[in-house]
Amino acid sequence: MSLAEYEGQTALVTGAGSGIGKGAALTLARGGAYVGLLGRTEDELEETLAEIRAAGGEGMVLLADVSQEDEMAKAIDRLISERKALNIVVANAGINGTWAPIDDLKPDEFDKTIAVNLRGTYLTLHHTVRHMKKSGGSIIVISSINGTRTFTSPGATAYSATKAAQFAMVQQLALELGQHGIRINAICPGAIGTEIDDNTSMRKKAQTEVPVEFPEGDIPLTGGEAGTVEDVAEVIAFLASKASRHVTGTPIWVDGGQSLLR
Ligand code: NAP
């Protein structure tokens, strides 16, 4: 991939104020993309934009909650009025939500995880795909090892359900959108060092924990060290680039082999 891989292209990254989304935004901007930075926390998004500009890139802050239809419609309209086109979408915003035994998990807690992770992904695609149909492009959905290969994270039922559903959407839409030259793939990260634990509430872990132990640690490639935001961002950059032009409907696990163990 050349440094100017995305020159003249416009990208949208949801949840661009921290973690994987921020890493993706910085990487795409370094490659020449103009990046729409969507999220709820203005000062974090402004900080991402400042870092992009300091490195010679450009973008704009788009304040919106991914689960709110009107906010998403307005934010994406703003990006399109400014740029006229959209080539790359990274549907990344998400929360761990509440991890608890199913008989203890409250309906509101279940609904919240579904609203942000699943409805949020739907709204992101619903409002962007119509613009991408004009020129084709690449969509990258940030799923997880949970719900795709791993089912041993204690109490993560709602979270896993959203991540499995995202993977189903990717496969369904790869067929629907192929005729428009739009590729769509999923990245399934394992443990990555981000702030996602701030968005996690865990109850009664002992009741749902499955006793699995591995003698050599649970991330074979790193001896147990979590991955970095850059480990994920570089795979996002690959899926957004021409180097992956014949890849669609495909999950890539970015987990150092973690999900093969559990
Ligand atoms: P993070 O650092 O907490 O980043 C998540 C971002 O999403 C934040 O910027 C957050 O900002 C934003 N966000 C949350 N709810 C939102 C909403 N309703 N509307 C708009 N933005 C919202 O966590 P991360 O680890 O980078 O997570 C990114 C994605 O990776 C998630 O989909 C997560 O499920 C997935 N993932 C992470 C890991 C991991 O180990 N870190 C592993 C597998 C999958 P605000 O809260 O300020 O809005």
Side-chain angles (χ1 to χ4, degrees):
M1 276 176 277
S2 80
L3 261 182
E5 176 72 42
Y6 319 107
E7 206 61 63
Q9 297 194 23
T10 302
L12 172 74
V13 179
T14 68
S18 64
I20 293 169
K22 179 172 183 176
L26 294 174
T27 303
L28 293 171
R30 252 196 318 274
Y34 180 103
V35 188
L37 308 164
L38 191 146
R40 294 178 303 184
T41 309
E42 192 167 11
D43 57 343
E44 288 186 356
L45 297 165
E46 289 292 354
E47 174 57 32
T48 304
L49 183 56
E51 289 182 37
I52 284 175
R53 287 184 172 149
E58 200 39 279
M60 75 192 291
V61 167
L62 301 164
L63 269 188
D65 180 327
V66 289
S67 66
Q68 299 298 318
E69 214 270 308
D70 52 339
E71 293 181 23
M72 287 302 282
K74 279 192 197 127
I76 290 156
D77 275 358
R78 270 192 65 212
L79 180 62
I80 297 299
S81 330
E82 180 72 24
R83 296 292 298 171
K84 314 296 178 224
L86 184 58
N87 314 96
I88 300 163
V89 170
V90 183
N92 161 78
I95 54 171
N96 274 347
T98 303
W99 294 18
I102 192 69
D103 48 346
D104 186 56
L105 183 70
K106 310 282 179 292
D108 284 354
E109 295 167 336
F110 180 82
D111 288 348
K112 168 90 178 157
T113 304
I114 301 292
V116 177
N117 293 2
L118 185 52
R119 179 178 158 86
T121 300
Y122 153 72
L123 286 174
T124 302
L125 303 185
H126 175 66
H127 287 295
T128 53
V129 155
R130 71 187 64 145
H131 304 292
M132 300 180 83
K133 281 183 175 174
K134 295 172 196 150
S135 54
S138 176
I139 300 168
I140 298 110
V141 176
I142 310 303
S143 173
S144 173
I145 58 172
N146 288 290
T148 58
R149 262 187 183 167
T150 294
F151 297 89
T152 51
S153 298
T157 305
Y159 181 77
S160 293
T162 63
K163 295 295 162 181
Q166 284 180 314
F167 180 30
M169 286 170 81
V170 161
Q171 293 170 94
Q172 178 82 26
L173 293 175
L175 294 178
E176 182 176 319
L177 301 177
Q179 61 186 309
H180 302 287
I182 301 172
R183 299 184 294 108
I184 177 166
N185 294 287
I187 289 182
C188 307
I192 304 296
T194 69
E195 289 147 41
I196 200 158
D197 287 345
D198 300 350
N199 280 317
T200 312
S201 156
M202 192 174 278
R203 284 198 306 269
K204 302 182 183 169
K205 185 177 170 195
Q207 286 182 20
T208 47
E209 204 161 25
V210 181
V212 276
E213 265 182 40
F214 304 100
E216 304 295 338
D218 68 356
I219 307 178
L221 209 51
T222 60
E225 277 291 299
T228 65
V229 161
E230 288 71 30
D231 292 335
V232 184
E234 287 180 24
V235 182
I236 293 173
F238 162 70
L239 287 174
S241 79
K242 285 196 291 290
S244 61
R245 61 191 165 274
H246 206 49
V247 182
T248 194
T250 295
I252 300 183
W253 285 276
V254 183
D255 68 346
Q258 183 182 10
S259 61
L260 292 170
L261 285 172
R262 39 188 267 165

